[in-house]
Amino acid sequence: MSIVILTGPPPDAAAPAVEEDLRVLGFDVVAAKDSADLVARLADAPDHGRVAVVDRRFVGHRHALRLTLTDPRFRASAAPGLLAVDPAARPALLRAAEAEAARDAQPDTGRLTDALAAAVEVHRPALGALVAAVPQGPVARAAAERAVAAVDDEAVRLRCSVKPQDGLFTTFCVSPYSRYLARWCARCGLTPNQVTLSSLLVALAAAGCAATGDRGGYVAAGVLLLGSFVLDCTDGQLARYALRYSTLGAWLDATCDRVKEYAFYAGLALGSARGGDDVWALALGAMAVQSVRHIVDSSFNESGRGGRDGAAAALSERLDAVGWTVWARRVVVLPIGERWAVIAVLTALTTPRVVFVALLAASAVAGCYTLTGRLLRSRGRGAAPVRAARSLADLADSGPLAEAVAERTGPEERARWLPRVPAPLFAAAGSAALACTAWWAPAGSWWPLVAAVGYALCAGAAVARPLTGPVDWLVPPLFRAAEYLTVLALAATAGDSGVNSAVPAAFGLVAAVAYHHYDTVYRIRGGTGAPPRRLVRVIGGHEGRLLLVTAVAAVTYGHEGALRIALAALAGALALVVLTESVQFWTSSHAPAAPDETGVPA
């Protein structure tokens, strides 16, 4: 049970409404007579749950109380007359209260907040139209109460549940009604995680309908996919509406988005195969392109080069001043709403092949647009901070072989030739050589294995020094592109056909690897750190997996279906190891709730 300690002199009004609001929010309300009593109350508070200090004279909206006192993402939050801390920040609040008691001063939330801010970062929510005040005297109190009555608290809460910068389709076609669905879910006691899992089940049903291969199934699949997306929007809006955030929930939401989309790709490929059209290679290509696009975004953001200065940023701000360009640019980057809408409509009206060709074309345009913008923003930037270099090294997913090459490149060699060669050039050279060899070498050739050895050497050279250069954030995406495209090329050119085709197994392998890479992104983004190095070493790192796959492709050539079996076995083993560790980590993690866009200011 979270506790609120009321302090300060009682208001002039007979029945302060703040106590009723606090109890509605689930707080156990107690009162402190003076600073010494406040210290005693804080010391006696249960170890779990949040503790808040509220001035009795507070006048404001209930949602202002909710935003300040109940948001689990912040160790400490404050607004006029309000202060709340989680268990980790409670000792600092206790020391601030003890200082007040030593001065024999009456508790004051403003002074407590200032003292607390010296030891703990204090979040101050953007209340906007909401009122949060400590009026002095009956006239000021009456004015504050009139201000409260003039603003619809529930309307503001609903508006705050929607992200301020979402895609065109989401903003105008989903959020206007999904926010009310989120409120209904909150009133029914549903959690965001339950809504997320419901969205996953609906998407899996959509994939199942697509796998039937008939027109009725495709129409049902398109409708269900849109329904899944509505629920996908609802879970985040529910989290913001009810302030029910968690690290597990953020991971579950992001992971389920990828599982839903790629499961639907698999359903389309299965359905198309039933009709005699094999589009597994297109499905794998679409998954690879989306995964590489996402790692480009994550890698660039982790590099710390997304500031609002520079010529590219200035151009972006000028375009923002022209209203329609804002929406045009949000559409061209093909966010999840637009992407799923295109997939759903084309699934219902056309064929899986058309769906994948259109998706690949749109993704290529979006990828070129965003990559160009990020390269322009990187021009003239100085060295990245140490934390960014560490994050990029984690995103690179280097295994034992690349690490050994990097360690054996001694200081003298580095001083002589590494500083003159940017890390992305090593990564690009090795990636291009391997991918091209895998595509154009004869089936069963050992040349891809030779190229994989060269790739491992280039990968080690790329990470031999910290990734602090202006465009070093390109290294992880280049590694991802090399791994996904090489697996696709080896499976597509293996010579197997029909039921013995290796491409579906390659789809499963790339899906398992992509999950590992997304998991790494989410851990870094959530502040929990990358997966343990022992896990990366066990699964070989990107260069180790490519050496294994190229060797298997050469050894199994001439044995019908052997590559398919080998890739399926590798996919199963990798998925088992990665999923087991990931689920165990996220379900037992005690990391703070993940940050999220909390919607428009109140």
Side-chain angles (χ1 to χ4, degrees):
M1 172 70 74
S2 297
I3 293 178
V4 164
I5 303 172
L6 294 177
T7 63
D12 295 333
V18 67
E19 293 187 30
E20 179 183 351
D21 287 338
L22 290 170
R23 290 192 172 92
V24 170
L25 293 178
F27 285 100
D28 185 10
V29 181
V30 297
K33 295 177 293 185
D34 50 31
S35 293
D37 195 18
L38 174 61
V39 171
R41 296 284 187 180
L42 288 172
D44 292 341
D47 294 335
H48 60 279
R50 296 177 73 83
V51 172
V53 179
V54 175
D55 195 303
R56 287 187 179 91
R57 296 165 295 177
F58 175 84
V59 174
H61 288 95
R62 183 180 294 172
H63 194 52
L65 290 168
R66 184 182 291 107
L67 289 171
T68 307
L69 304 182
T70 68
D71 197 328
R73 297 170 299 165
F74 306 104
R75 294 180 60 190
S77 299
L82 309 174
L83 176 60
V85 296
D86 68 3
R90 195 178 303 174
L93 177 58
L94 181 59
R95 289 192 297 272
E98 289 172 344
E100 289 281 282
R103 291 195 298 268
D104 197 24
Q106 286 295 321
D108 180 83
T109 55
R111 289 197 302 268
L112 288 173
T113 299
D114 293 339
L116 181 66
V120 177
E121 183 177 356
V122 178
H123 171 67
R124 300 176 189 271
L127 298 179
L130 296 177
V131 176
V134 182
Q136 306 294 321
V139 175
R141 183 177 182 85
E145 289 174 345
R146 287 194 298 271
V148 170
V151 176
D152 186 341
D153 180 88
E154 181 61 20
V156 171
R157 187 182 179 190
L158 273 174
R159 182 163 52 90
C160 289
S161 69
V162 178
K163 286 184 180 180
Q165 295 182 347
D166 227 329
L168 180 71
F169 177 75
T170 304
T171 300
F172 294 104
C173 299
V174 178
S175 293
Y177 59 87
S178 62
R179 68 183 73 180
Y180 296 100
L181 179 58
R183 180 171 66 180
W184 178 83
C185 290
R187 291 175 177 176
C188 291
L190 298 175
T191 67
N193 289 352
Q194 290 171 334
V195 178
T196 299
L197 293 176
S198 299
S199 175
L200 174 62
L201 292 176
V202 174
L204 293 179
C209 290
T212 61
D214 57 54
R215 178 52 51 195
Y218 289 148
V219 172
V223 173
L224 287 172
L225 187 64
L226 289 177
S228 175
F229 181 68
V230 171
L231 291 174
D232 183 56
C233 295
T234 301
D235 62 3
Q237 291 166 357
L238 173 59
R240 289 182 285 274
Y241 181 85
L243 294 184
R244 299 192 66 169
Y245 301 100
S246 69
T247 300
L248 175 61
W251 165 77
L252 190 64
D253 179 49
T255 301
C256 284
D257 283 347
R258 306 287 79 77
V259 172
K260 289 181 288 189
E261 186 167 2
Y262 299 156
F264 195 79
Y265 291 176
L268 284 175
L270 286 169
S272 185
R274 287 177 178 269
D277 188 14
D278 186 357
V279 296
W280 275 106
L282 292 175
L284 202 165
M287 179 169 63
V289 169
Q290 290 301 331
S291 299
V292 171
R293 283 187 59 210
H294 291 150
I295 198 67
V296 166
D297 295 340
S298 300
S299 187
F300 177 78
N301 291 334
E302 289 299 328
S303 72
R305 302 190 179 279
R308 298 298 296 177
D309 57 334
L315 175 61
S316 177
E317 290 179 352
R318 287 197 296 271
L319 289 175
D320 285 344
V322 183
W324 66 268
T325 65
V326 175
W327 295 112
R329 287 186 293 146
R330 291 185 190 179
V331 170
V332 77
V333 299
L334 201 65
I336 187 171
E338 276 69 8
R339 193 165 69 249
W340 282 26
V342 168
I343 294 171
V345 172
L346 291 181
T347 296
L349 300 179
T350 65
T351 65
R353 181 172 292 274
V354 173
V355 173
F356 287 125
V357 170
L359 182 60
L360 284 167
S363 297
V365 172
C368 290
Y369 172 80
T370 55
L371 181 61
T372 300
R374 285 169 169 76
L375 288 172
L376 291 174
R377 286 177 181 268
S378 299
R379 291 178 57 191
R381 297 296 180 102
V386 175
R387 178 192 173 278
R390 179 67 263 171
S391 296
L392 292 178
D394 291 332
L395 290 174
D397 193 36
S398 300
L401 294 175
E403 287 181 338
V405 172
E407 290 173 0
R408 289 182 179 277
T409 306
E412 294 182 1
E413 290 80 359
R414 298 186 194 192
R416 186 163 58 251
W417 58 279
L418 272 182
R420 295 194 296 271
V421 182
L425 286 184
F426 282 116
S431 299
L434 177 56
C436 292
T437 304
W439 275 110
W440 289 314
S445 170
W446 289 89
W447 282 112
L449 178 59
V450 175
V453 173
Y455 172 82
L457 295 174
C458 289
V463 297
R465 59 181 177 82
L467 299 176
T468 58
V471 292
D472 281 359
W473 54 268
L474 284 170
V475 171
L478 286 168
F479 288 160
R480 298 297 80 77
E483 184 170 8
Y484 301 157
L485 294 179
T486 299
V487 173
L488 170 59
L490 292 173
T493 61
D496 296 337
S497 60
V499 295
N500 288 322
S501 173
V503 181
F507 184 96
L509 176 59
V510 171
V513 174
Y515 175 86
H516 165 63
H517 292 147
Y518 278 115
D519 189 48
T520 302
V521 168
Y522 301 144
R523 293 194 196 195
I524 294 173
R525 186 181 300 169
T528 58
R533 290 302 305 165
R534 65 178 183 276
L535 173 68
V536 178
R537 294 188 179 100
V538 166
I539 62 177
H542 61 97
E543 79 287 353
R545 290 189 295 270
L546 283 174
L547 282 167
L548 178 60
V549 171
T550 52
V552 167
V555 170
T556 58
Y557 179 71
H559 301 279
E560 188 76 9
L563 181 59
R564 172 179 58 84
I565 296 172
L567 292 181
L570 181 58
L574 187 67
L576 179 63
V577 173
V578 170
L579 281 172
T580 299
E581 192 279 336
S582 176
V583 172
Q584 182 181 12
F585 170 82
W586 286 105
T587 55
S588 62
S589 174
H590 298 292
D596 177 68
E597 292 181 86
T598 56
V600 295

